[in-house]
Amino acid sequence: MIVIGAGPVGENAADYAHQGGLSVALVEAERVGGECSYWACIPSKALLRTPMAVAAARKLPGVTAEFDPKAVFARRDYFTSRGDDSGQAEWVASAGITLVRGHGRLVGEKRVQVGDQTLTARRAVVLATGSSPVRPPIPGIDSVRTWGSREATSADAVPPRLGVLGGGVVGCEMAQAYARLGAQVTMLVRGRLLPAFEEVVAEKVEAGLRADGVDVRYVGLDAVAPGILLTVGAETIEVDELLLATGRRANTADLGLESVGLDGIEADDSGLVLGDWLYAVGDVAGKAPLTHQGKYEARIAGAAIVARAAGRSVDPAPWSEYAATADHVAVPQVVFTDPEVAHVGRTAGPGDREIVIDIAVAGSSLEADGYDGKAIMVVDPAREVIVGATFVGQDVAEMLHAATIAIVGEVPLGRLWHAVPAFPTISEVWLRLLEAYRAG
């Protein structure tokens, strides 16, 4: 098997297939470990964690806490190895996988060109090339230096003035990180913050950003001029760096899709795109562009490839080991702002019943003075099962997996009544949600 892309998703596909008995070549044009390891999930959370811990400590009486931004950057560098992927490459070798460095592209059925060599797969080719930031078509944007998520997460100093364009996850997380690190942050948002989540989530996160001094403006960016001068209506705002956090698109360019008669990627739930040999997983497949979900898809695809290679039937029925069913019903996501946002499943739609309560239990009161949060449970009343859950508040991320299990397992609310939350923890909010549902 050949895997194009050695990020966490490609590594998972390669490892699962190799453990199943296949020989695997893993092709990587940049760094083994991919976007998440060096420029996304890992460094962004490292930049957020220390300021968040200090802010949490300050919410308790008698605590004074400070931090050194230089130490925050140093800790980030520890986790990213300052871009040195030798440790990841060593893991690939220790797993029995062949690493091929260079840009891989399809040049025919089961054939991948890397530089001046052509690799041929006997069983399958897996595309795991991820995604890249979208650069918006704003007048003058190409006349100035800009940051994407890579530059924001790998910077070695705090800009005095940071402009952030976009109100999605990257925009919110990096705006708060740099505000707490000492930057004056101006955030320009069309629509509202975090539009994929419930309105109350946007309200709570906005309050958290403003409390940290972020100037959140619900306006568009009209033009940019040298000196990083931002035209916003009749006003000009000067910044030292401009972060473009306006979404991402799948990395399908120069993959050679046309060589096998494709002009795009559409994968089934086993990851299969074409024939019995071409697969796509992770961001490039366009289903659920999150690292953990891509790794899940890679595990599913790896199992399917091994089974097909052994001549076994692969029936991607929902919830089988050959179907990434969770992509459709239970995609968990955390936004590591303060307050945190943790969501899985769907937001309320026609026919659903939505329960919204304050997170106000003994555990939350002990967690922080003045704890302020919300819990949302979305129920399919016909089946009396949870189909969505959202929490927003301090330290709510660790409650998310319980909701994910409830949704994936389609656990009846009557059975959840017997899942007793420990006292005094924030998880007691689960009891309050069930009580609110029963009360009508």
Side-chain angles (χ1 to χ4, degrees), residues 100-181:
V100 181
R101 292 191 181 270
H103 176 77
R105 67 187 309 274
L106 295 166
V107 289
E109 183 173 332
K110 299 182 184 178
R111 292 189 296 129
V112 175
Q113 184 176 347
V114 186
D116 58 1
Q117 64 177 320
T118 299
L119 309 177
T120 301
R122 287 190 294 273
R123 297 297 182 184
V125 174
V126 179
L127 306 178
T129 51
S131 62
S132 298
V134 172
R135 190 172 181 84
I138 296 170
I141 195 74
D142 293 330
S143 69
V144 301
R145 177 186 64 250
T146 59
W147 277 4
S149 53
R150 286 191 173 193
E151 290 77 14
T153 57
S154 62
D156 290 322
V158 180
R161 299 163 299 181
L162 174 66
V164 176
L165 181 63
V169 175
V170 172
C172 289
E173 288 186 349
M174 290 297 93
Q176 191 159 49
Y178 276 96
R180 288 182 164 180
L181 288 167

Side-chain angles (χ1 to χ4, degrees), residues 399-423:
M399 293 202 298
L400 184 59
H401 197 54
T404 304
I405 292 170
I407 294 171
V408 169
E410 298 179 332
V411 182
L413 294 185
R415 178 59 62 86
L416 280 181
W417 185 253
H418 299 281
V420 181
F423 180 87

Side-chain angles (χ1 to χ4, degrees), residues 259-406:
S259 73
V260 293
L262 296 176
D263 58 7
I265 292 174
E266 185 175 344
D268 71 9
D269 281 352
S270 73
L272 189 61
V273 175
L274 181 66
D276 62 353
W277 66 274
L278 183 62
Y279 293 74
V281 291
D283 286 13
V284 76
K287 294 180 179 179
L290 297 159
T291 297
H292 49 269
Q293 213 66 24
K295 291 168 70 173
Y296 161 71
E297 293 169 9
R299 296 192 293 270
I300 298 291
I305 290 166
V306 168
R308 287 177 172 129
R312 297 195 300 270
S313 174
V314 173
D315 177 14
W319 303 118
S320 78
E321 65 175 312
Y322 306 125
T325 311
D327 280 350
H328 308 294
V329 297
V331 176
Q333 182 174 15
V334 176
V335 186
F336 290 89
T337 46
D338 186 5
E340 284 180 337
V341 181
H343 170 80
V344 63
R346 67 181 189 234
T347 55
D352 292 330
R353 185 172 165 200
E354 183 182 58
I355 304 297
V356 183
I357 64 172
D358 292 328
I359 299 178
V361 293
S364 59
S365 297
L366 290 165
E367 191 80 2
D369 286 358
Y371 190 101
D372 181 27
K374 289 282 187 182
I376 303 169
M377 181 173 73
V378 180
V379 175
D380 176 349
R383 296 183 296 145
E384 288 220 316
V385 295
I386 298 173
V387 292
T390 301
F391 306 95
V392 55
Q394 181 179 323
D395 300 325
V396 297
E398 297 303 331
M399 293 202 298
L400 184 59
H401 197 54
T404 304
I405 292 170

